[in-house]
């Protein structure tokens, strides 16, 4: 892509909270296309790593840089949280909002909103108050709202946690489409089946560090360290 915001370069980046290092030092390059899945035990730093890459966490050491200026990069990436943040307005308004904010006409924004609602199975709910949607429906809405501006990079923090198989399948389908359309995806999950289904490559977090980072086949078929092997066996690793 011309003027891509990628690569995102992390050099010896550290995130600390109240004087305690919770992630880092991390050196990593996010480039190319496809889906990177971030896995690891509870508290290993997955959420913090995603938030830091997106710009939601202040780094206390190291260097984080996009290929474009920070403001430009911010506008071309999006984030889906584990608990979706939904405006107390209609499904239509929730979806149209990012587009009107970006200067699209109300008509254009409404048309795109209707298209995206249909993609995530909310086509018949456009006028309904979004706050009355179920948890799974809210997550589908949040995903559509994040994708409606066709971000170059999309971060997702366990978007399918607490969702049933059917809702998860819809979300995975939308994510596969987004990837085919050129969005670079970076997503955390605890679901190893989902990691295998979606990943092109895997980041394994352990103790706030990137313990291993490999193409999906290599990661699952020939783990590089005993800790990775233990984790994949379902043993407790800290
Ligand atoms: N605001 C904060 N203040 C203090 N400590 C924090 C803060 N946010 C996260 N931490 C700590 O940082 C560590 C990493 O947390 P993080 O949420 O990134 O892990 P995670 O791998 O996403 O965990 P989980 O799988 O449970 O969601 C944890 O020990 C957590 O308690």
């Amino acid at each position: 892509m011309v003027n891509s915001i990628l690569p995102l370069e992390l050099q010896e980046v550290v995130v600390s909270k109240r004087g305690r290092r919770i992630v880092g030092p991390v050196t990593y390059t996010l480039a190319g296309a496809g889906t990177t899945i971030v896995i690891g035990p509870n508290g290993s730093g997955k959420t913090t790593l995603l938030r830091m890459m997106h710009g939601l966490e202040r780094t206390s050491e190291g260097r984080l840089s996009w290929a474009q200026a920070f403001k430009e990069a911010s506008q071309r990436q999006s984030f889906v949280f584990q608990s979706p943040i939904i405006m107390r307005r209609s499904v239509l308004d929730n979806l149209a909002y990012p587009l009107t904010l970006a200067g699209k006409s109300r008509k254009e924004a409404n048309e795109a909103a209707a298209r995206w609602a249909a993609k995530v199975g909310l086509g018949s709910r456009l006028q309904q108050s979004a706050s009355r949607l179920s948890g799974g429906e809210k997550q589908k809405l949040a995903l559509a709202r994040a994708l409606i501006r066709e971000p170059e990079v999309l971060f997702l923090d366990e978007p399918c946690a607490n969702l049933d198989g059917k809702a998860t399948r819809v979300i995975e389908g939308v994510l596969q489409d987004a990837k085919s359309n050129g969005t670079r995806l970076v997503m955390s999950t605890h679901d190893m089946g989902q990691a295998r289904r979606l990943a092109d490559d895997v980041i394994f977090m352990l103790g706030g560090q990137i313990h291993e980072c490999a193409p999906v086949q290599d990661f699952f078929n020939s783990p590089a360290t005993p800790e990775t092997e233990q984790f994949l066996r379902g043993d407790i690793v800290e």
Side-chain angles (χ1 to χ4, degrees):
M1 182 190 274
V2 185
N3 292 332
S4 172
I5 60 171
L6 292 171
L8 166 65
E9 303 267 8
L10 308 180
Q11 281 165 4
E12 301 283 312
V13 176
V14 172
V15 177
S16 299
K17 299 274 182 193
R18 298 190 192 100
R20 185 168 83 89
R21 177 180 287 193
I22 58 173
V23 161
V26 168
T27 295
Y28 178 75
T29 301
L30 180 72
T35 301
T36 298
I37 293 288
V38 183
I39 62 173
N42 288 130
S44 57
K46 301 180 294 296
T47 299
T48 309
L49 177 76
L50 295 178
R51 288 172 56 91
M52 173 258 277
M53 285 177 163
H54 184 56
L56 288 169
E57 292 288 349
R58 216 155 52 90
T59 59
S60 46
E61 288 171 44
R63 191 175 133 78
L64 180 155
S65 60
W66 293 89
Q68 303 294 324
F70 181 77
K71 193 170 168 219
E72 176 72 17
S74 304
Q75 287 167 353
R76 285 159 60 185
Q77 47 156 325
S78 200
F79 198 104
V80 174
F81 297 89
Q82 187 176 345
S83 304
I85 300 162
I86 298 293
M87 294 191 300
R88 289 182 187 200
R89 292 164 76 171
S90 67
V91 168
L92 181 79
D93 283 350
N94 266 275
L95 290 171
Y97 180 69
L99 293 178
T100 50
L101 209 60
K104 298 274 186 212
S105 71
R106 187 71 213 190
K107 182 168 178 287
E108 270 180 299
N110 284 354
E111 281 168 7
R115 228 177 19 253
W116 275 93
K119 272 193 204 192
V120 295
L122 295 173
S124 61
R125 319 285 286 278
L126 282 174
Q127 302 306 332
Q128 185 177 328
S129 166
S131 46
R132 276 195 237 117
L133 295 175
S134 73
E137 289 163 349
K138 280 184 183 151
Q139 194 55 285
K140 290 177 192 168
L141 177 61
L143 178 61
R145 194 179 51 190
L147 284 169
I148 201 164
R149 282 182 67 186
E150 298 176 357
E152 196 181 333
V153 182
L154 177 63
F155 297 99
L156 306 105
D157 188 16
E158 292 188 53
C160 300
N162 309 318
L163 301 193
D164 65 17
K166 209 168 149 202
T168 297
R169 203 158 50 236
V170 171
I171 287 184
E172 288 186 5
V174 172
L175 290 176
Q176 296 285 28
D177 284 352
K179 176 173 113 169
S180 305
N181 290 330
T183 297
R184 182 74 173 87
L185 301 169
V186 187
M187 169 176 149
S188 66
T189 185
H190 281 279
D191 177 344
M192 290 305 115
Q194 181 168 62
R196 285 175 188 269
R197 286 191 296 277
L198 296 182
D200 293 294
D201 53 83
V202 177
I203 290 176
F204 176 40
M205 292 295 291
L206 200 57
Q209 311 252 348
I210 295 182
H211 181 80
E212 188 176 341
C213 173
V216 64
Q217 295 293 340
D218 297 349
F219 183 80
F220 284 107
N221 296 341
S222 30
T225 74
E227 289 85 355
T228 308
E229 214 174 314
Q230 281 165 25
F231 180 77
L232 291 178
R233 268 205 313 266
D235 292 351
I236 294 167
V237 192
E238 286 169 314

